[in-house]
Amino acid sequence: AQSVTQLDSQVPVFEEAPVELRCNYSSSVSVYLFWYVQYPNQGLQLLLKYLSGSTLVKGINGFEAEFNKSQTSFHLRKPSVHISDTAEYFCAVSLTQGGSEKLVFGKGTKLTVNP
Amino acid sequence: DAGVIQSPRHEVTEMGQEVTLRCKPISGHDYLFWYRQTMMRGLELLIYFNNNVPIDDSGMPEDRFSAKMPNASFSTLKIQPSEPRDSAVYFCASSFGRGRTDTQYFGPGTRLTVL
């Protein structure tokens, strides 16, 4: 079975501090990986995605993630967070299951940026 | 473009009543997805369509749930009869192209409360 594990359900940080949100996946085949962000009372929107090529992926709002095949990880990082980054972040893996293609999401990590 | 549109944004109903959630995908998108988000189970895919045809409904919890897509610009998710355990936020998303690598665009969600 293929799944996504987000190791931290909540991450509090202070404004301008660096942050890393961890994501591990389990898969025996090639994967496509995504990070989505959900601001309060809104739908999810794409931050970044890894399909192939460079293992360091840059996304919107200064976020980046690194694909590490040997550690089956896809951690999200930002060197300096803002109050406006307070949101829930979801890691997802795209896979083929039973002949159909779908995104499987992790349980999410709530990032709270404090002044 | 207005993005994915969902209605209603909030729905409160009593157990046993029929509930219909509506979704208008982004024009030109050929995939449409219905998700359910709860604290316990996270974000789950219920069903998805390609060119208005249901491809995978394995996530639909039981026969009380049904989804239709009569045309490229409209889809419904119906629950009949509703139960308190159906209380959740329901998201509709759409994408263009072969689903596995493409970005999904989410609507703002419908928060359903079944009393």
Side-chain angles (χ1 to χ4, degrees):
Chain A
Q2 300 180 27
S3 66
V4 178
T5 303
Q6 292 185 243
L7 297 161
D8 305 298
S9 59
Q10 297 189 47
V11 173
V13 294
F14 287 108
E15 194 174 16
E16 298 183 8
V19 71
E20 178 180 81
L21 306 183
R22 297 180 292 169
C23 172
N24 286 88
Y25 66 92
S26 62
S27 173
S28 58
V29 297
S30 297
V31 293
Y32 303 117
L33 294 158
F34 301 75
W35 276 99
Y36 281 81
V37 60
Q38 183 180 26
Y39 297 104
N41 300 314
Q42 294 185 28
L44 282 71
Q45 63 184 83
L46 182 72
L47 267 181
L48 49 81
K49 60 183 175 181
Y50 171 78
L51 304 182
S52 65
S54 173
T55 57
L56 184 64
V57 182
K58 293 190 183 298
I60 62 171
N61 300 338
F63 283 92
E64 63 181 31
E66 186 157 19
F67 171 62
N68 188 319
K69 188 174 182 179
S70 62
Q71 296 186 7
T72 61
S73 68
F74 190 54
H75 301 333
L76 181 70
R77 302 186 182 98
K78 186 169 182 178
S80 175
V81 294
H82 302 290
I83 299 285
S84 58
D85 292 324
T86 294
E88 189 156 18
Y89 293 79
F90 293 89
C91 183
V93 60
S94 178
L95 53 89
T96 301
Q97 218 173 40
S100 73
E101 299 167 342
K102 56 184 71 174
L103 270 183
V104 175
F105 287 87
K107 290 290 182 67
T109 298
K110 286 189 178 176
L111 174 65
T112 303
V113 182
N114 297 301
Chain B
D1 200 315
V4 176
I5 298 172
Q6 291 187 248
S7 65
R9 292 293 310 274
H10 302 273
E11 177 81 33
V12 180
T13 190
E14 293 190 346
M15 182 173 63
Q17 297 298 305
E18 177 180 295
V19 174
T20 299
L21 312 181
R22 297 173 177 80
C23 174
K24 177 179 169 55
I26 292 173
S27 177
H29 282 191
D30 55 352
Y31 283 80
L32 183 138
F33 307 82
W34 281 102
Y35 290 90
R36 178 172 67 175
Q37 185 181 38
T38 62
M39 291 290 290
M40 291 297 294
R41 300 174 68 88
L43 200 61
E44 305 172 278
L45 177 66
L46 299 178
I47 184 171
Y48 79 91
F49 297 82
N50 177 218
N51 291 323
N52 314 335
V53 176
I55 302 301
D56 184 349
D57 66 354
S58 60
M60 297 285 261
E62 48 197 276
D63 291 345
R64 297 184 297 106
F65 285 70
S66 62
K68 294 182 180 179
M69 192 165 186
N71 57 62
S73 59
F74 184 65
S75 177
T76 60
L77 178 68
K78 187 176 292 186
I79 308 172
Q80 166 63 17
S82 58
E83 297 182 3
R85 61 192 166 121
D86 301 330
S87 297
V89 181
Y90 291 82
F91 289 102
C92 175
S94 69
S95 69
F96 174 72
R98 188 158 174 78
R100 224 191 137 188
T101 61
D102 290 287
T103 301
Q104 292 185 19
Y105 295 83
F106 283 74
T110 295
R111 183 174 296 275
L112 173 65
T113 303
V114 183
L115 303 174

